């Protein structure tokens, strides 16, 4: 038996690497965005994400997903979700490093970019936890519309502590917050929300259903409900100040295609106690602020996921041989890896330029405008590229890529999700148009950003002229929305590549993505491209 079971030509496990220090493109992007100071913490995160421990935790938390417990053994409603210990450990690791709060707690410049660096690395290891992390990060901003609530909640929401106990906020060491807005009849069109709010003394009582509510073991839901028939935002705590359970009812957990470590529920409010957040009747506008931040996080997370796929593909092809040579030495494979490398680098540069715009936007109007338009633009484009990218990276591993033992199953199933939630593709493209319509200067900010590299490259110069014409043409804008956004996003990435990537990579990006010397799938870079060198550049050090 033993003699036949000789294992040869299998790559060593990808473990014991550092996803931060080993990634030159990432470190340079973060430094450029004023986030160099996060290096000690990012190094720790990079080591964790490259460790066998992280691989095991991510595998277990997703393999043994959450289970709904509606009642205790005596028949009382508890509406709780039980998780595998690996989930709690991951939550402890994420919240313990301030993954959710660095942007709010740090006094350094580049705090958004520093958080982006940590988030980029984290998302290479596990994605389900990112949901409560991102919601808690973004929820802080929304709660500031209710200063009295913020005074009580913000210190707990930004604490480096994971405290899953269902206790009143005063007794918690750390807290999480999520969003309950989507209802059965409408997720994109939140004007259709039917949950009702009625005044009850200083607070309110909500009654209605929510069709999707993720991470329902949080301490606080930001919920939309109609108050005097106008959609309004409320804070709904899990536990009331006197320690009693705020009555809400988890109906079931979604049996999701991916994102399995994260619980997503259907829930009902029935006379559930709530407090007002933001102006009455302005609930959608209030939560859109949150969506702006969650979309930013999605851009960063998606770039991180693409990096994870690329790292796996490069590692495999370096070690696996076929037809007498390592896979990475075969010209056809080099073209695939090089194309993946270009796509990943462009995604990374996009994410960190966006983070920089968020940081600088606080004091520079042009950067605020850029962040406004670039957030949906980048969310749309990276989320569209990621599933295509992931499938191609998975194929580099051959059959092994399609087996659940490895992380590709998770990356693959996760890959469409960021494109769906927090604004699906069309809605996001329409948001880019809305930005142009309401703040035309945001388009100027975007054009200036693209133009920063245009003199260096004829293809980009030509694309800039085309974009200006296309945006001036007001006919059939909605129907042309995806095309416009795709063109602008690609031009922006080309500009970033020309300014920050190796000239060979930038030229190959422009020739393929702008010049049309490209096929319909990845791995079709023009003949004469130094594909081996382009792939090697992105190899972890
Ligand atoms: C795993 C998961 C977790 C989630 N967690 C949460 C959560 O925690 N809290 C929460 O509130 N929600 C959550 N959601 C819901 C999510 O935000 C919604 O599914 C999303 O906003 C889309 O809404 P919908 O499903 O109602 O689709 P619809 O709004 O019906 O949209 C369907 C399609 O139509 C398109 N469309 C909509 N309007 C237009 C238009 N004007 N023109 C052209 N096309 C249009 C959309 O782009 C989409 O492709 C979650 C969803 C998933 C999958």
């Amino acid at each position: 038996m033993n003699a036949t079971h000789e294992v040869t030509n299998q790559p060593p496990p990808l473990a014991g690497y550092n996803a931060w220090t080993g990634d030159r493109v990432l470190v340079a992007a973060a430094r450029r965005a004023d986030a160099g100071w996060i290096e000690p913490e990012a190094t720790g995160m990079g080591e964790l994400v490259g460790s066998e421990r992280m691989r095991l935790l991510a595998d277990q938390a997703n393999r043994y997903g959450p289970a709904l417990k509606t009642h205790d053994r005596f028949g009382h409603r508890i509406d709780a979700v039980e998780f595998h210990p690996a989930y709690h450990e991951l939550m402890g690791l994420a919240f313990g490093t301030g993954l959710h709060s660095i942007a709010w707690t740090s006094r350094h410049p580049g705090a958004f970019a520093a958080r982006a660096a940590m988030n980029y690395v984290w998302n290479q290891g596990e994605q389900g936890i990112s949901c409560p992390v991102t919601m808690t990060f973004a929820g802080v901003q929304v709660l500031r519309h209710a200063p009295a609530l913020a005074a009580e909640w913000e210190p707990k929401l930004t604490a480096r502590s994971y405290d899953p106990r269902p206790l009143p906020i005063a007794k918690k060491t750390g807290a999480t917050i999520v969003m309950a807005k989507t209802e059965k009849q409408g997720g994109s069109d939140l004007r259709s929300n039917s949950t009702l709010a009625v005044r009850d003394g200083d607070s309110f009582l909500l009654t209605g259903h929510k069709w999707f509510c993720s991470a329902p073991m949080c301490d606080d839901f930001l919920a939309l409900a109609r108050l005097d028939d106008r959609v309004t935002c409320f804070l709904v705590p899990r536990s009331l100040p006197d320690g009693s359970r705020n009555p809400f009812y988890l109906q079931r957990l979604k049996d999701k295609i991916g994102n399995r470590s994260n619980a997503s529920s259907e829930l009902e409010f029935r006379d559930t106690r709530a407090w007002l957040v933001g102006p009455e009747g302005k609930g959608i506008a209030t939560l859109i602020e949150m969506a702006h931040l969650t979309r930013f996080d999605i851009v960063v997370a998606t770039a991180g996921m693409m990096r994870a796929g690329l790292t796996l593909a490069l590692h495999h092809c370096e070690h696996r041989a076929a037809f007498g040579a390592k896979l990475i030495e075969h010209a056809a494979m080099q073209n695939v890896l090089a194309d993946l490398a270009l796509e990943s680098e462009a995604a990374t540069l996009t994410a960190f330029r966006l983070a920089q715009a968020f940081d600088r936007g606080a004091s520079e109007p042009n950067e605020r405008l850029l962040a406004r338009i670039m957030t949906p633009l980048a969310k749309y484009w990276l989320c569209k590229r990621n599933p295509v990218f992931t499938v191609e990276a998975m194929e580099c591993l051959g059959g092994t890529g399609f087996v659940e033992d490895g992380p590709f199953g998770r990356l693959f199933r996760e890959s469409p999700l960021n494109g769906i939630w927090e604004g699906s593709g069309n809605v996001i493209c329409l948001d880019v148009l809305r930005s142009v319509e309401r703040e035309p200067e945001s388009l100027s900010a975007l054009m200036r950003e693209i133009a920063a590299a245009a003199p260096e490259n004829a293809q980009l110069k030509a694309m800039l002229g085309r974009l200006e014409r296309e945006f001036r043409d007001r006919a059939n804008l909605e129907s042309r929305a995806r095309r416009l956004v795709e063109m602008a996003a690609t031009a922006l990435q080309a500009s970033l590549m020309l300014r920050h990537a190796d000239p060979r990579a930038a030229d190959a990006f422009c020739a393929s993505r702008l010049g049309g010397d490209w096929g319909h799938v990845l791995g079709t870079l023009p003949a004469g491209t130094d594909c081996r060198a382009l792939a090697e550049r992105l190899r972890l050090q």
Side-chain angles (χ1 to χ4, degrees):
M1 283 292 284
N2 283 346
T4 64
H5 198 80
E6 193 186 353
V7 180
T8 60
N9 197 23
Q10 286 285 347
L14 177 61
Y17 66 97
N18 193 307
W20 165 260
T21 55
D23 189 339
R24 284 178 302 189
V25 167
L26 169 62
V27 172
R31 284 182 186 160
R32 240 186 340 265
D34 309 319
W37 53 268
I38 198 69
E39 288 192 27
E41 288 187 67
T43 301
M45 179 67 88
E47 192 180 325
L48 171 70
V49 164
S51 69
E52 180 59 17
R53 177 188 180 200
M54 184 72 175
R55 191 200 63 75
L56 196 65
L57 289 174
D59 182 66
Q60 289 176 337
N62 283 277
R63 197 178 290 274
Y64 310 108
L68 177 60
K69 292 276 170 189
T70 51
H71 298 77
D72 70 8
R73 66 184 193 279
F74 307 106
H76 305 115
R77 290 290 305 215
I78 51 171
D79 296 277
V81 181
E82 276 184 0
F83 294 91
H84 188 275
Y87 173 88
H88 291 296
E89 197 171 335
L90 285 167
M91 287 287 280
L93 286 166
F95 280 82
T97 56
L99 187 60
H100 60 303
S101 61
I102 294 168
W104 307 127
T105 55
S106 170
R107 302 237 170 271
H108 291 284
F112 270 72
R115 203 187 141 261
M118 299 285 276
N119 205 24
Y120 180 101
V121 175
W122 176 272
N123 272 277
Q124 296 180 48
E126 212 281 328
Q127 298 84 36
I129 303 296
S130 294
C131 174
V133 165
T134 288
M135 296 289 157
T136 303
F137 154 64
V140 167
Q141 171 102 339
V142 174
L143 267 192
R144 289 178 178 172
H145 288 285
L149 293 174
E152 195 179 18
W153 282 83
E154 189 166 328
K156 307 294 170 82
L157 291 170
T158 53
R160 291 191 176 199
S161 166
Y162 169 56
D163 179 354
R165 297 170 302 164
L167 294 175
I169 190 64
K171 294 192 173 159
K172 301 271 300 188
T173 60
T176 56
I177 195 165
V178 300
M179 200 157 50
K181 53 186 174 55
T182 304
E183 298 186 355
K184 294 183 185 71
Q185 71 283 356
S188 309
D189 187 359
L190 296 172
R191 296 168 307 180
S192 68
N193 255 235
S194 64
T195 297
L196 283 181
V198 291
R199 280 186 184 75
D200 186 49
D202 292 342
S203 56
F204 299 81
L205 294 174
L206 306 192
T207 299
H209 65 89
K210 295 292 168 185
W211 177 232
F212 266 102
C213 177
S214 293
M217 292 305 289
C218 63
D219 299 292
D220 172 20
F221 304 85
L222 284 169
L224 289 183
R226 304 192 89 82
L227 178 65
D228 302 329
D229 206 32
R230 294 180 309 156
V231 179
T232 301
C233 181
F234 294 92
L235 176 141
V236 180
R238 160 175 295 280
S239 301
L240 294 169
D242 65 3
S244 62
R245 198 177 86 81
N246 198 4
F248 64 85
Y249 306 93
L250 296 179
Q251 304 298 354
R252 59 173 171 161
L253 297 187
K254 302 283 192 187
D255 186 8
K256 292 177 292 183
I257 288 172
N259 192 252
R260 297 189 73 91
S261 62
N262 180 34
S264 299
S265 66
E266 291 169 27
L267 78 82
E268 287 189 11
F269 296 129
R270 242 175 278 155
D271 284 338
T272 309
R273 182 72 52 189
W275 280 264
L276 184 68
V277 177
E280 290 181 21
K282 297 282 181 206
I284 296 175
T286 305
L287 278 195
I288 285 291
E289 256 185 57
M290 185 166 175
H292 193 50
L293 292 174
T294 56
R295 289 170 185 175
F296 158 65
D297 252 30
I298 281 175
V299 170
V300 175
T302 305
M305 286 166 63
M306 290 165 82
R307 196 2 157 165
L310 175 66
T311 301
L312 286 163
L314 285 169
H315 175 76
H316 186 87
C317 293
E318 245 180 83
H319 292 94
R320 174 87 167 175
F323 300 101
K326 298 284 187 219
L327 291 174
I328 201 165
E329 283 155 14
H330 290 283
M333 182 60 92
Q334 286 170 0
N335 201 318
V336 173
L337 293 171
D339 226 353
L340 287 168
L342 292 182
E343 202 68 35
S344 167
E345 183 165 9
T348 305
L349 298 184
T350 306
F352 280 87
R353 181 61 186 95
L354 182 59
Q356 190 178 44
F358 268 89
D359 276 317
R360 296 185 176 173
S363 57
E364 297 176 37
N366 184 62
E367 293 287 307
R368 185 195 66 75
L369 289 163
L370 184 63
R372 166 65 188 94
I373 192 165
M374 195 177 159
T375 300
L377 187 101
K379 185 205 183 255
Y380 175 75
W381 189 234
L382 265 57
C383 291
K384 285 292 167 212
R385 297 306 289 155
N386 188 25
V388 175
F389 181 100
T390 303
V391 166
E392 211 56 74
M394 177 195 274
E395 193 176 312
C396 292
L397 276 68
T400 304
F402 201 64
V403 173
E404 288 287 1
D405 291 347
F408 255 118
R410 222 168 46 240
L411 283 174
F412 174 65
R413 284 192 298 269
E414 190 78 19
S415 66
L417 177 56
N418 279 337
I420 294 174
W421 59 10
E422 295 304 301
S424 310
N426 292 346
V427 168
I428 285 289
C429 288
L430 296 178
D431 189 47
V432 173
L433 296 185
R434 193 172 308 114
S435 166
V436 174
E437 193 184 306
R438 294 199 183 156
E439 292 188 283
E441 313 82 45
S442 66
L443 180 61
S444 313
L446 177 66
M447 291 302 185
R448 270 196 299 278
E449 182 66 19
I450 296 171
E456 297 166 34
N457 184 281
Q459 287 145 340
L460 183 57
K461 211 166 155 185
M463 176 55 89
L464 192 65
R466 188 169 163 204
L467 267 175
E468 279 162 358
R469 285 193 301 280
E470 292 271 358
F471 272 107
R472 261 199 310 273
D473 176 3
R474 311 300 294 167
N476 304 314
L477 263 182
E478 282 201 16
S479 171
R480 291 161 46 226
R482 280 188 178 223
R483 252 182 104 119
L484 274 174
V485 173
E486 175 176 325
M487 271 168 33
T490 314
L492 176 65
Q493 291 193 320
S495 174
L496 291 167
M497 290 289 280
L498 283 164
R499 280 178 282 157
H500 306 306
D502 181 297
R504 290 168 299 176
D507 287 346
F509 189 92
C510 293
S512 53
R513 275 73 170 166
L514 300 182
D517 198 352
W518 204 27
H520 292 287
V521 295
L522 289 162
T524 53
L525 291 172
T529 307
D530 188 351
C531 292
R532 173 83 198 233
L534 295 189
E536 282 288 337
R537 282 185 63 244
L538 272 275
R539 215 156 54 85
L540 283 187
Q541 300 302 297

